Amino acid sequence: MITRPRLIELGVAAALVALAALGFQPMYGGAVFALPAFGGLVVGLGSILLGRLLKQTLVTSVVIAVAAYFLLGSALAMPTVATFGVLPNLETLDGLVRGAVFGWSDAVTLTIPLEAPPYIPVLAYFAAFATAVISAAIVAYWPVRVGAGSTLRRAVAAAAPLALLIATIILGTHLTFLAGLRGVLFTAIALVWICWRSASDATANTPATSGASAATRRKLVGMGTVVLGALVAGSLVGAVVQPATAQRVVARDEIVPPFDPLDYPAPLAAFRHYVNDQTKKTLFTVDGLAPGSYVRLATMDSWNGVVWNVSRDSGTANGSGAFRLLGRDLPEPKLFSAGATTPVSITIKDYSGVWLPNASYPTGLSLEGPDAAKLSQNLRVNTETGTIALTSGVESGLSYDLDVTALKVPNNKALAAVPAANVSTPPMASVPDVVSSTAKQYAGGATTALQTLQNLQKSLVNQGYLSHGRASDPVPSRAGEGADRVEQLLTQSPMVGDQEQYVTAFALMAHSLGYPVRVVLGAKVPKKAGEVPITGNDVTAWDEVAFAGVGWVPFFPTPTKTDAPKEQTVKPKIIPQPQVRQPPRDHPKDDQLLTPVQTKDQEKKKSQHGFQIPAWAYWAGGGLLLLLAIVFVPLLVVWLLRKRRRRKRGTGPTDRRAAGAWAELASGFHELGLDRPGHVATRGQLVRHYETTSEESGVPVQPGVLGPLARRVDHAVFSAGQLADEAADALWKDVDGVLAHARDGLSWVRRRLSDYRYSRS
């Protein structure tokens, strides 16, 4: 039977869990967290309450809660994949386990808002469920006691929601959801609950009287006043000293995501490998794209003076390095003017890497094959750039379907009236000075963003020549996209390079003029019908500039002319001079002043005199010394320790010397391999142990010698008379004889091993 006070306590616990669960809102964005979070709260709390009403034990109630977790979790946490939206299936059951185990790591490694994998809502569901089960179990099954036990009971019940509140802060983001209000309410409810119950538990099992009720009300009012005053003062102080949102410490800032695109080679740096080494190899096939359209591999917006790469700002959704795990449907970019959507099928052949080929901006992605479900967990998508990465690597035979939405670009007349978008892009490092001056020269008197960019493109196309550095090209062309290569391209005459250099030069010039620009590596679809093979010769690169309200408009600054004139260089003519005999030297130079070349033979002769130790001899000698040290240094240490032990036992009064002789016998036997049992109390018992275990241990013991020796030692130690020095020396001599006999009976190997043993007994 659940009493009214316990029902009130369950309600208080539910309120604390609900306030803590609101911290999931910034992680999921919007109200999508509400159903799994509050659903888990109801399932956990209701299961414990049901078990208590049925008068079940705590273990049975927990079993009921676990069953309810799996039975109702499909509808509350994974309705999109549940059967008919509510019934569990194998996929939802697997997701309920995966979300509980891996959801915590996904929460700090995936880009917010958390939308995929499908089991990601299970994190909020499981967290609220587990917290509610713990708090409700404590409230319903922990007996109510008077005094400190009551305070401990409520404090432990409130600890679980407090842990959830802290977890949502650590696993969350720099953004907060009613943080101040939630903190004040949580603290007020927890403090009032703990203190109020500890004050009233004294009369929990006794009939209430009017005097007791009045006293309880006075205590409650006084306590509430104090708590409210503390909360108000704390809120006012916190509003002044609280850190800025950007200074919040969250786990995602300290934990490296499992997929960091900067760990892989720069995509554009492999351009020459495609166009030269894989010219005729089929990288992948495309079905559904119109001839002349473009396939996208990777998008880069950061240049470090050496290569292009994705930006390091992976914590936001705008950078090219922001990849997140998504489901079948992919959201459109924020800056995007959607055009027609086309279904496309791609099959991988000789292409490899982590960048998955796609077209334009994919809004749907579905892998095919038996490993599709497993591979889908390794997909990372950057919706702003239309780039897809497969962290496990792209392998031959992989097939997948895409829903590709094209960018709707206005005509030049309409686009001329559109300004460049206000998009934050990473700064460019080590840009040569010639880039800025050339950009101003190429831009001319352009008055619009489109005209300026078109002037840059036309200047590069008209003045430049195309060369991939092949042997068949009219002029050589060095690969690279670094600062030195860009400076060479813009200063040499004629201007020679390929897409790797021209798109870099265009991007740097556009960036110097203040335009948001990025570089794309992809391929151009040949003019063929049906399933079209894409070879290395089809790989290309282009630039994209952001226009307000439109999106990232492509520009192609690479020229198509290949007949570049060879650069003419005039070499100075060398006129041979007649040889003139030089007069003899008046003062011959000393042999010590001759150059090393002139004294080469003499040095060889000098090196033949005297004995020189070869280098191998030093190595051999050093190795031998090291081996000797390993063998003999431990022997020396053991020998010194034994000498010290014997000297200590062999000095002092004669009774102590006699006892020391027997102790030396026990130590010697132990070092030879005849151990002393811990249960032996007297020397007579030890003698019987040595004689009975001698044959088993392989250590020979002289029969009939140890017994008299033990009695002599006992007499010397326990008799009232003083033992003569000669008798003590005789005991030591007999002990040495027994040990020598035992040692001689061992094999050579056991004797050598015993030399390394030291016993303290």
Side-chain angles (χ1 to χ4, degrees), residues 647-662:
R647 184 173 60 254
K648 184 177 180 180
R649 290 174 175 176
T651 58
T654 54
D655 57 340
R656 288 184 54 187
R657 291 170 59 191
W662 185 262

Side-chain angles (χ1 to χ4, degrees), residues 232-402:
V232 171
S235 301
L236 294 176
V237 174
V240 178
V241 302
Q242 66 176 347
T245 301
Q247 297 177 350
R248 285 169 52 88
V249 178
V250 292
R252 63 177 51 251
D253 291 340
E254 307 297 332
I255 297 178
V256 178
F259 172 68
D260 186 357
L262 298 184
D263 292 339
Y264 301 90
L268 189 60
F271 181 79
R272 289 285 177 98
H273 170 68
Y274 291 122
V275 299
N276 290 348
D277 300 336
Q278 295 183 308
T279 304
K280 297 182 179 180
K281 288 186 178 180
T282 301
L283 303 178
F284 49 88
T285 60
V286 178
D287 188 7
L289 286 179
S293 57
Y294 288 88
V295 176
R296 183 184 298 265
L297 297 179
T299 304
M300 300 145 282
D301 58 2
S302 176
W303 189 74
N304 60 3
V306 180
V307 293
W308 282 96
N309 216 323
V310 297
S311 63
R312 290 188 176 273
D313 187 14
S314 58
T316 64
N318 295 326
S320 62
F323 287 83
R324 54 182 174 175
L325 188 59
L326 298 176
R328 168 65 178 85
D329 298 326
L330 309 180
E332 293 182 354
K334 296 179 180 179
L335 183 60
F336 184 69
S337 179
T341 300
T342 305
V344 178
S345 297
I346 298 179
T347 302
I348 303 298
K349 299 296 183 181
D350 289 332
Y351 176 79
S352 61
V354 296
W355 310 108
L356 198 66
N358 63 88
S360 190
Y361 291 89
T363 53
L365 173 61
S366 177
L367 297 176
E368 299 178 357
D371 297 333
K374 181 179 180 180
L375 291 177
S376 63
Q377 306 301 323
N378 300 324
L379 282 174
R380 299 296 186 273
V381 183
N382 185 301
T383 56
E384 297 303 315
T385 62
T387 305
I388 306 175
L390 185 62
T391 59
S392 57
V394 181
E395 297 180 354
S396 178
L398 174 64
S399 298
Y400 52 97
D401 296 329
L402 294 167

Side-chain angles (χ1 to χ4, degrees), residues 121-194:
V122 176
L123 171 61
Y125 174 69
F126 172 78
F129 165 82
T131 307
V133 167
I134 295 173
S135 296
I138 294 173
V139 170
Y141 285 91
W142 192 325
V144 179
R145 292 185 175 89
V146 179
S150 175
T151 303
L152 177 63
R153 172 176 173 269
R154 275 73 183 195
V156 174
L162 178 62
L164 178 61
L165 179 67
I166 297 175
T168 57
I169 296 174
I170 297 176
L171 300 178
T173 67
H174 291 285
L175 301 177
T176 59
F177 179 71
L178 303 176
L181 178 61
R182 289 170 48 230
V184 169
L185 290 177
F186 188 96
T187 306
I189 294 174
L191 289 177
V192 171
W193 177 36
I194 295 173

Side-chain angles (χ1 to χ4, degrees), residues 30 39 101 116 118 121 129 243 287 319 321 344 380 395 443 526 528 538 552 558 580 672 682:
V101 177
F129 165 82
D287 188 7
V344 178
R380 299 296 186 273
E395 297 180 354
K528 296 181 181 180
D538 300 320
W552 293 84
T558 304
V580 179
L672 293 176
T682 65

Side-chain angles (χ1 to χ4, degrees), residues 642-665 725 728-733 736:
R642 289 180 179 179
K643 291 285 290 184
R644 178 177 176 273
R645 181 187 66 192
R646 186 181 180 91
R647 184 173 60 254
K648 184 177 180 180
R649 290 174 175 176
T651 58
T654 54
D655 57 340
R656 288 184 54 187
R657 291 170 59 191
W662 185 262
E664 188 69 17
L665 177 68
D725 291 338
D729 294 339
L731 286 175
W732 274 94
K733 183 178 180 180
D736 291 340

